Amino acid sequence: MTSRSKEKVAAAFRKLFRSPDKLDNEGAGPSGSPARRGLLRRHRDGVGPAEATASVPASPGASSLVKKKVPGATEVRDRAAAVRTRRLMKELKEIKRLQESRPDPVFTVELVNDNLFEWHVRLHQIDPESDLATDLRELHIPNILLHLVFPENFPFAPPFMRVIEPRIEKGFVMEGGAICMELLTPRGWASAYTVEAVVMQFAASVVKGQGRVARAPTRPSCEFSRRRAEEAFRSVVKTHDKYGWVTPALSDG
């Protein structure tokens, strides 16, 4: 190795092993860049790259990006209304299709004043061997007229259903035409239940409870009305929530 080569190697070793203070002094000069000065300070203070990154304060808008937008009351109502509308449109379309495909449908549906959220359901068929079916034939009553009102949070809450005509005694039909069925209460309802399932359940319950058409003259206090039906239904729900739902004997209606 020549003397010139030896000098180059020695200079390289001196540069490699020079002290941090000397490096700091050189970096602080006019020719030292900000990045080089920062690197020298971290080297001198013993701060690693990860710690240096963690020490940088977060920007003011960073936390706001993480927060989720909370929907307002109006937005929640709009979403619920859309869900209710889609569900009822779907069910109404299916029921209409069944009505048109059968010459003698079990029940038919009509909108009350073109209101999608209020239906009249005419139940045309029940157990033909039941006393109630016999009463309907003898009195020439073609069907049982039901009134359904769907709340804003349907299908997550049950519809309110009552009998309009004829006036039925027993058969789990109460004052005002209210219907005593756990299926129609918040406790017994499930969003998967359809209108068809509700109507068919009523058709079975009114026969099981030995319902009969009232033949005696109707007193004003016994007339079927929505107000009386709602009051009677609230009362029976409160009672059953307290004591539980127990199917009574058939003789109790």
Side-chain angles (χ1 to χ4, degrees):
M1 180 181 293
T2 63
S3 59
R4 186 176 182 83
S5 299
K6 291 180 180 180
E7 290 177 1
K8 288 183 178 181
V9 171
F13 273 98
R14 285 196 300 271
K15 187 175 182 180
L16 180 63
F17 293 104
R18 67 179 61 183
S19 65
D21 294 337
K22 192 171 183 181
L23 285 171
D24 195 4
N25 293 334
E26 290 183 0
S31 61
S33 65
R36 180 178 176 82
R37 289 196 297 271
L39 179 62
L40 292 174
R41 281 196 299 272
R42 289 196 297 271
H43 176 73
R44 181 188 60 195
D45 299 336
V47 179
E51 294 174 341
T53 304
S55 63
V56 178
S59 60
S63 59
S64 62
L65 295 176
V66 181
K67 295 180 180 178
K68 294 182 179 180
K69 182 181 178 182
V70 179
T74 303
E75 185 177 353
V76 171
R77 284 195 300 269
D78 291 343
R79 289 180 181 178
V83 171
R84 177 174 64 157
T85 300
R86 286 197 301 268
R87 173 65 176 269
L88 289 176
M89 287 292 291
K90 179 181 178 181
E91 292 211 32
L92 182 62
K93 182 178 179 180
E94 179 63 19
I95 292 172
K96 292 290 187 181
R97 186 187 67 80
L98 293 175
Q99 288 179 193
E100 295 172 357
S101 64
R102 298 176 181 175
D104 53 345
V106 177
F107 67 94
T108 55
V109 170
E110 306 166 359
L111 299 185
V112 179
N113 297 324
D114 292 327
N115 183 359
L116 180 62
F117 311 125
E118 192 171 349
W119 295 10
H120 276 163
V121 175
R122 297 184 183 274
L123 180 60
H124 301 282
Q125 297 182 30
I126 58 172
D127 183 356
E129 298 181 359
S130 65
D131 292 335
L132 180 58
T134 301
D135 290 344
L136 294 174
R137 287 192 296 267
E138 290 179 354
L139 297 173
H140 304 288
I141 300 174
N143 51 64
I144 298 174
L145 179 59
L146 304 172
H147 182 214
L148 279 78
V149 179
F150 300 92
E152 292 183 356
N153 53 346
F154 180 85
F156 305 107
F160 174 71
M161 185 169 75
R162 66 186 180 96
V163 177
I164 295 180
E165 59 182 17
R167 183 168 167 267
I168 297 177
E169 297 176 340
K170 295 188 176 182
F172 306 115
V173 178
M174 305 177 297
E175 292 184 17
I179 300 168
C180 180
M181 285 196 331
E182 186 179 10
L183 179 69
L184 295 174
T185 67
R187 184 175 180 177
W189 177 257
S191 60
Y193 291 150
T194 62
V195 173
E196 180 181 9
V198 172
V199 174
M200 298 309 296
Q201 179 65 37
F202 167 75
S205 297
V206 73
V207 170
K208 181 179 180 181
Q210 297 183 341
R212 301 294 300 267
V213 176
R215 297 175 183 252
T218 304
R219 294 173 297 175
S221 60
C222 296
E223 290 181 355
F224 281 5
S225 67
R226 180 171 177 175
R227 182 182 63 81
R228 291 183 62 83
E230 290 175 346
E231 291 175 353
F233 186 74
R234 284 194 295 267
S235 176
V236 75
V237 168
K238 185 177 180 180
T239 300
H240 283 297
D241 283 344
K242 184 176 181 180
Y243 298 105
W245 285 83
V246 179
T247 303
L250 294 180
S251 58
D252 296 337

